Amino acid sequence: MSFEQNFLPVFSVDWLGLLNRLKNLEGNYGILAPISSNKSLLTNIRDLGKTFFIDSGVFSNQECPWYYETHSEYLDERWVRKRKLASEEHLRRKVREYLEHCDQFLPNFVFTQDIFGEPLLSLYLARLTWQEYWKKPRNYTLIGVVQVGYSIYNWQQNLVPQLNSFPPHYYSPKSFLASLISAYREIGYDYIALGGLLKVDKTRTTGLKFGLSTQELDELLAWSRPEFVLGGLALTRAEVLKKHNVWADSTGWLWWNEKYDTKFRDRNAFQEVLELAAI
Protein backbone atom coordinates (compact mmCIF):
# COMPACT_ATOMS: atom_id res chain seq x y z
CA MET A 1 0.00 0.00 0.00
CA SER A 2 1.26 3.49 -0.82
CA PHE A 3 0.47 6.97 0.39
CA GLU A 4 -2.14 8.70 -1.72
CA GLN A 5 -1.41 12.28 -2.73
CA ASN A 6 -3.95 13.82 -0.40
CA PHE A 7 -4.35 14.64 3.27
CA LEU A 8 -5.50 11.78 5.48
CA PRO A 9 -6.50 12.39 9.12
CA VAL A 10 -5.39 9.57 11.41
CA PHE A 11 -6.92 9.05 14.86
CA SER A 12 -4.82 7.62 17.70
CA VAL A 13 -6.50 5.05 19.93
CA ASP A 14 -5.24 2.79 22.69
CA TRP A 15 -8.46 1.44 24.17
CA LEU A 16 -11.75 0.12 22.85
CA GLY A 17 -13.85 3.08 24.03
CA LEU A 18 -11.93 5.41 21.74
CA LEU A 19 -12.29 3.04 18.80
CA ASN A 20 -16.05 2.87 19.34
CA ARG A 21 -16.25 6.67 19.01
CA LEU A 22 -14.92 6.37 15.46
CA LYS A 23 -17.26 3.73 14.09
CA ASN A 24 -20.11 6.08 13.15
CA LEU A 25 -17.93 8.65 11.40
CA GLU A 26 -18.49 9.27 7.71
CA GLY A 27 -15.38 9.79 5.62
CA ASN A 28 -11.90 8.48 4.99
CA TYR A 29 -9.50 8.26 7.90
CA GLY A 30 -6.78 6.08 9.36
CA ILE A 31 -6.26 4.62 12.83
CA LEU A 32 -3.00 4.47 14.75
CA ALA A 33 -2.39 2.29 17.79
CA PRO A 34 0.73 1.44 19.81
CA ILE A 35 1.92 -2.16 19.65
CA SER A 36 1.48 -2.34 23.45
CA SER A 37 -2.31 -2.14 23.00
CA ASN A 38 -4.57 -5.04 23.87
CA LYS A 39 -4.50 -7.75 21.19
CA SER A 40 -8.27 -7.64 20.78
CA LEU A 41 -8.13 -3.88 20.11
CA LEU A 42 -5.49 -4.32 17.41
CA THR A 43 -7.57 -7.10 15.84
CA ASN A 44 -10.74 -4.97 15.93
CA ILE A 45 -8.93 -2.09 14.23
CA ARG A 46 -7.72 -4.40 11.49
CA ASP A 47 -11.25 -5.71 10.97
CA LEU A 48 -12.63 -2.18 10.42
CA GLY A 49 -10.84 -2.00 7.10
CA LYS A 50 -9.45 1.48 7.64
CA THR A 51 -5.83 2.37 6.91
CA PHE A 52 -4.09 0.88 9.95
CA PHE A 53 -0.85 2.16 11.51
CA ILE A 54 1.16 0.64 14.38
CA ASP A 55 3.87 2.44 16.33
CA SER A 56 6.17 1.35 19.13
CA GLY A 57 4.83 3.73 21.77
CA VAL A 58 7.79 6.06 22.10
CA PHE A 59 6.75 7.42 25.51
CA SER A 60 6.31 4.05 27.19
CA ASN A 61 8.55 2.81 29.99
CA GLN A 62 10.97 5.71 29.97
CA GLU A 63 12.37 4.75 33.41
CA CYS A 64 13.80 1.55 31.99
CA PRO A 65 13.86 1.95 28.19
CA TRP A 66 14.37 -1.08 26.00
CA TYR A 67 17.41 0.34 24.24
CA TYR A 68 19.56 0.40 27.40
CA GLU A 69 21.23 -2.45 29.25
CA THR A 70 22.87 -2.55 32.65
CA HIS A 71 26.65 -2.74 32.79
CA SER A 72 28.58 -3.54 35.99
CA GLU A 73 32.07 -2.16 36.46
CA TYR A 74 34.50 -2.43 39.37
CA LEU A 75 35.61 1.10 40.31
CA ASP A 76 37.27 2.40 43.47
CA GLU A 77 37.09 -0.99 45.15
CA ARG A 78 33.38 -1.43 44.61
CA TRP A 79 31.00 -2.58 41.92
CA VAL A 80 29.16 0.18 40.10
CA ARG A 81 26.09 -0.49 37.96
CA LYS A 82 25.66 1.78 34.97
CA ARG A 83 23.18 1.96 32.16
CA LYS A 84 24.51 2.28 28.64
CA LEU A 85 23.23 1.89 25.11
CA ALA A 86 22.54 -1.77 24.44
CA SER A 87 24.69 -3.82 22.10
CA GLU A 88 23.78 -4.14 18.44
CA GLU A 89 22.81 -7.77 19.04
CA HIS A 90 20.39 -6.71 21.79
CA LEU A 91 18.90 -3.93 19.65
CA ARG A 92 18.45 -6.22 16.65
CA ARG A 93 16.65 -8.75 18.83
CA LYS A 94 14.30 -6.06 20.13
CA VAL A 95 13.66 -4.80 16.59
CA ARG A 96 12.88 -8.33 15.39
CA GLU A 97 10.46 -8.85 18.28
CA TYR A 98 8.70 -5.59 17.42
CA LEU A 99 8.35 -6.40 13.73
CA GLU A 100 7.21 -9.97 14.41
CA HIS A 101 4.60 -8.65 16.84
CA CYS A 102 3.36 -6.25 14.16
CA ASP A 103 3.22 -9.14 11.67
CA GLN A 104 0.41 -10.74 13.69
CA PHE A 105 -2.04 -7.87 13.13
CA LEU A 106 -1.60 -7.15 9.41
CA PRO A 107 -1.30 -3.34 9.58
CA ASN A 108 -0.86 -1.25 6.46
CA PHE A 109 2.02 0.80 7.89
CA VAL A 110 4.46 0.38 10.77
CA PHE A 111 6.58 3.19 12.21
CA THR A 112 10.20 2.42 13.02
CA GLN A 113 11.20 2.36 16.65
CA ASP A 114 12.83 5.65 17.58
CA ILE A 115 14.28 7.29 20.68
CA PHE A 116 12.60 10.48 21.79
CA GLY A 117 15.04 13.39 21.71
CA GLU A 118 17.81 11.33 20.08
CA PRO A 119 17.95 12.00 16.33
CA LEU A 120 21.23 10.18 15.61
CA LEU A 121 20.43 7.13 17.74
CA SER A 122 17.04 6.98 16.03
CA LEU A 123 18.83 7.00 12.66
CA TYR A 124 21.00 4.10 13.84
CA LEU A 125 17.88 2.17 14.86
CA ALA A 126 16.20 3.00 11.56
CA ARG A 127 19.10 1.40 9.70
CA LEU A 128 18.92 -1.76 11.83
CA THR A 129 15.14 -1.89 11.44
CA TRP A 130 15.36 -1.55 7.66
CA GLN A 131 17.78 -4.48 7.51
CA GLU A 132 15.62 -6.67 9.75
CA TYR A 133 12.43 -5.71 7.91
CA TRP A 134 13.72 -7.07 4.62
CA LYS A 135 14.86 -10.42 6.02
CA LYS A 136 11.39 -11.89 5.42
CA PRO A 137 8.34 -11.01 3.27
CA ARG A 138 6.01 -8.56 4.97
CA ASN A 139 2.67 -7.12 3.91
CA TYR A 140 3.07 -3.73 5.55
CA THR A 141 5.16 -0.70 4.66
CA LEU A 142 7.81 0.65 7.00
CA ILE A 143 7.82 4.39 7.81
CA GLY A 144 11.05 5.96 9.04
CA VAL A 145 10.67 8.25 12.07
CA VAL A 146 13.01 11.24 12.01
CA GLN A 147 13.40 12.86 15.43
CA VAL A 148 13.24 16.55 14.49
CA GLY A 149 11.80 18.08 17.66
CA TYR A 150 14.93 18.04 19.80
CA SER A 151 16.99 19.88 17.19
CA ILE A 152 14.30 22.47 16.51
CA TYR A 153 13.56 23.21 20.16
CA ASN A 154 17.06 23.00 21.63
CA TRP A 155 19.39 24.35 18.97
CA GLN A 156 22.08 26.57 20.48
CA GLN A 157 22.70 29.68 18.39
CA ASN A 158 26.08 31.41 18.30
CA LEU A 159 25.23 34.97 19.25
CA VAL A 160 28.68 36.26 18.20
CA PRO A 161 30.01 34.71 14.96
CA GLN A 162 33.55 33.38 15.24
CA LEU A 163 36.20 33.55 12.52
CA ASN A 164 36.36 29.75 12.35
CA SER A 165 32.61 29.12 12.52
CA PHE A 166 30.45 27.83 9.71
CA PRO A 167 28.41 30.29 7.65
CA PRO A 168 25.03 30.93 9.36
CA HIS A 169 23.02 28.84 6.91
CA TYR A 170 25.14 25.78 7.71
CA TYR A 171 24.89 26.11 11.47
CA SER A 172 21.14 25.74 11.83
CA PRO A 173 18.50 23.11 12.63
CA LYS A 174 17.46 23.12 8.97
CA SER A 175 20.93 22.20 7.71
CA PHE A 176 21.24 19.36 10.24
CA LEU A 177 17.73 18.00 9.70
CA ALA A 178 17.92 18.20 5.90
CA SER A 179 21.00 15.96 6.02
CA LEU A 180 19.31 13.69 8.54
CA ILE A 181 16.22 13.22 6.38
CA SER A 182 18.43 12.57 3.36
CA ALA A 183 20.17 9.80 5.32
CA TYR A 184 16.81 8.07 5.83
CA ARG A 185 16.08 8.34 2.11
CA GLU A 186 19.50 6.87 1.33
CA ILE A 187 18.80 3.87 3.57
CA GLY A 188 15.76 3.20 1.40
CA TYR A 189 12.79 4.70 3.25
CA ASP A 190 10.17 5.90 0.78
CA TYR A 191 8.05 7.30 3.60
CA ILE A 192 9.27 9.63 6.34
CA ALA A 193 7.45 10.74 9.49
CA LEU A 194 8.56 13.71 11.56
CA GLY A 195 8.64 12.87 15.27
CA GLY A 196 9.56 14.44 18.56
CA LEU A 197 7.40 17.53 18.01
CA LEU A 198 5.35 17.01 21.16
CA LYS A 199 6.40 18.78 24.35
CA VAL A 200 5.56 17.93 27.93
CA ASP A 201 2.97 20.38 29.26
CA LYS A 202 1.59 19.55 32.70
CA THR A 203 -1.02 22.31 32.42
CA ARG A 204 -2.88 20.31 29.77
CA THR A 205 -5.08 17.30 30.38
CA THR A 206 -3.16 15.27 27.82
CA GLY A 207 0.16 16.21 29.43
CA LEU A 208 1.50 17.08 25.98
CA LYS A 209 1.35 19.88 23.46
CA PHE A 210 2.48 20.35 19.88
CA GLY A 211 5.44 22.71 20.03
CA LEU A 212 5.18 24.50 16.68
CA SER A 213 2.84 27.28 15.66
CA THR A 214 0.80 26.85 12.49
CA GLN A 215 3.21 29.11 10.59
CA GLU A 216 6.26 27.23 11.89
CA LEU A 217 4.69 23.90 10.87
CA ASP A 218 3.95 25.34 7.42
CA GLU A 219 7.59 26.36 7.00
CA LEU A 220 8.87 22.99 8.25
CA LEU A 221 6.69 21.02 5.85
CA ALA A 222 7.63 23.26 2.93
CA TRP A 223 11.30 22.27 2.99
CA SER A 224 11.33 18.88 4.72
CA ARG A 225 8.51 17.38 2.61
CA PRO A 226 7.63 14.41 4.86
CA GLU A 227 4.77 12.00 4.30
CA PHE A 228 3.57 12.02 7.93
CA VAL A 229 3.70 14.21 11.05
CA LEU A 230 3.41 12.29 14.31
CA GLY A 231 1.12 14.04 16.78
CA GLY A 232 0.41 16.80 14.28
CA LEU A 233 -3.34 16.55 13.74
CA ALA A 234 -5.57 19.26 15.18
CA LEU A 235 -8.30 21.46 13.76
CA THR A 236 -5.96 24.47 13.87
CA ARG A 237 -3.33 22.64 11.78
CA ALA A 238 -5.54 20.66 9.41
CA GLU A 239 -5.45 23.33 6.68
CA VAL A 240 -1.64 23.35 6.66
CA LEU A 241 -1.44 19.57 6.58
CA LYS A 242 -3.88 19.46 3.69
CA LYS A 243 -1.96 22.19 1.85
CA HIS A 244 1.15 20.00 1.87
CA ASN A 245 -0.70 16.68 1.38
CA VAL A 246 0.79 15.33 4.60
CA TRP A 247 -0.85 12.66 6.73
CA ALA A 248 -0.88 13.15 10.52
CA ASP A 249 -2.30 11.59 13.65
CA SER A 250 -4.02 13.32 16.53
CA THR A 251 -1.87 14.78 19.28
CA GLY A 252 -4.23 13.21 21.82
CA TRP A 253 -7.87 12.17 21.70
CA LEU A 254 -8.79 14.53 24.55
CA TRP A 255 -8.55 17.62 22.38
CA TRP A 256 -11.92 16.78 20.89
CA ASN A 257 -13.52 15.35 24.05
CA GLU A 258 -16.18 17.69 25.36
CA LYS A 259 -15.60 16.48 28.92
CA TYR A 260 -12.13 18.00 28.88
CA ASP A 261 -12.32 20.80 26.35
CA THR A 262 -15.48 22.92 26.45
CA LYS A 263 -14.80 24.64 23.11
CA PHE A 264 -15.78 21.38 21.38
CA ARG A 265 -18.89 20.79 23.46
CA ASP A 266 -21.25 21.76 20.63
CA ARG A 267 -19.02 20.56 17.79
CA ASN A 268 -18.08 17.20 16.31
CA ALA A 269 -14.38 17.77 15.79
CA PHE A 270 -13.92 14.28 14.36
CA GLN A 271 -16.37 15.00 11.58
CA GLU A 272 -15.04 18.52 10.97
CA VAL A 273 -11.60 17.13 10.21
CA LEU A 274 -13.05 14.52 7.86
CA GLU A 275 -15.15 17.08 6.01
CA LEU A 276 -12.10 19.28 5.53
CA ALA A 277 -10.16 16.31 4.18
CA ALA A 278 -12.92 15.56 1.67
CA ILE A 279 -12.98 19.07 0.15
Side-chain angles (χ1 to χ4, degrees):
M1 184 174 183
S2 61
F3 276 68
E4 300 175 2
Q5 294 302 308
N6 59 348
F7 164 57
L8 180 74
V10 178
F11 300 120
S12 302
V13 303
D14 65 354
W15 63 286
L16 187 59
L18 298 174
L19 181 63
N20 288 335
R21 296 189 65 192
L22 303 178
K23 290 184 176 180
N24 294 325
L25 292 179
E26 298 180 2
N28 189 28
Y29 60 90
I31 302 175
L32 184 152
I35 193 61
S36 57
S37 301
N38 184 281
K39 289 184 179 181
S40 62
L41 173 65
L42 296 172
T43 301
N44 286 337
I45 294 173
R46 175 70 276 169
D47 292 344
L48 276 183
K50 295 294 184 180
T51 305
F52 180 21
F53 301 80
I54 289 179
D55 74 5
S56 60
V58 66
F59 291 105
S60 63
N61 199 19
Q62 289 300 296
E63 293 184 0
C64 185
W66 61 271
Y67 47 85
Y68 279 125
E69 59 186 5
T70 302
H71 172 71
S72 296
E73 187 174 353
Y74 194 72
L75 294 172
D76 299 327
E77 299 183 348
R78 64 190 182 93
W79 285 100
V80 178
R81 292 165 60 89
K82 296 181 178 179
R83 288 195 312 173
K84 65 177 185 178
L85 184 67
S87 65
E88 180 179 326
E89 179 182 358
H90 174 95
L91 294 175
R92 284 188 181 275
R93 177 170 57 83
K94 290 295 186 179
V95 166
R96 283 195 297 271
E97 291 173 357
Y98 171 58
L99 295 176
E100 289 169 1
H101 198 175
C102 293
D103 290 343
Q104 301 175 38
F105 301 102
L106 301 176
N108 301 107
F109 297 96
V110 167
F111 294 97
T112 58
Q113 291 170 293
D114 59 313
I115 302 176
F116 185 73
E118 294 286 356
L120 295 181
L121 288 179
S122 294
L123 173 62
Y124 173 59
L125 282 176
R127 192 178 301 277
L128 297 183
T129 304
W130 185 257
Q131 294 167 358
E132 295 297 326
Y133 169 79
W134 285 106
K135 286 185 177 180
K136 59 184 291 187
R138 288 187 158 95
N139 293 323
Y140 54 81
T141 300
L142 202 60
I143 303 176
V145 179
V146 181
Q147 277 286 325
V148 300
Y150 184 84
S151 300
I152 292 174
Y153 300 145
N154 299 284
W155 198 266
Q156 298 296 317
Q157 298 291 343
N158 286 334
L159 299 180
V160 180
Q162 304 297 313
L163 289 175
N164 61 348
S165 64
F166 286 117
H169 63 280
Y170 282 114
Y171 192 75
S172 68
K174 181 176 179 179
S175 64
F176 171 73
L177 293 174
S179 298
L180 186 64
I181 293 170
S182 295
Y184 278 76
R185 301 290 188 192
E186 290 171 2
I187 290 172
Y189 285 95
D190 291 324
Y191 303 122
I192 296 295
L194 303 185
L197 291 167
L198 299 181
K199 287 183 172 183
V200 174
D201 184 352
K202 295 182 180 180
T203 66
R204 301 195 177 201
T205 309
T206 60
L208 299 167
K209 71 173 182 179
F210 193 77
L212 299 181
S213 67
T214 302
Q215 180 179 351
E216 288 170 335
L217 177 62
D218 189 10
E219 294 171 354
L220 175 62
L221 297 181
W223 64 261
S224 61
R225 304 187 68 79
E227 282 71 39
F228 203 103
V229 177
L230 284 163
L233 181 63
L235 285 176
T236 55
R237 295 186 290 272
E239 289 280 3
V240 171
L241 294 165
K242 183 175 181 180
K243 169 185 173 182
H244 294 279
N245 295 320
V246 174
W247 296 9
D249 71 298
S250 52
T251 303
W253 46 87
L254 297 179
W255 63 267
W256 56 62
N257 191 324
E258 64 276 2
K259 291 192 299 183
Y260 300 96
D261 201 333
T262 57
K263 66 183 176 182
F264 294 119
R265 180 158 292 164
D266 299 319
R267 299 167 61 183
N268 186 336
F270 288 97
Q271 200 63 57
E272 287 187 42
V273 172
L274 296 183
E275 289 170 1
L276 176 64
I279 297 175

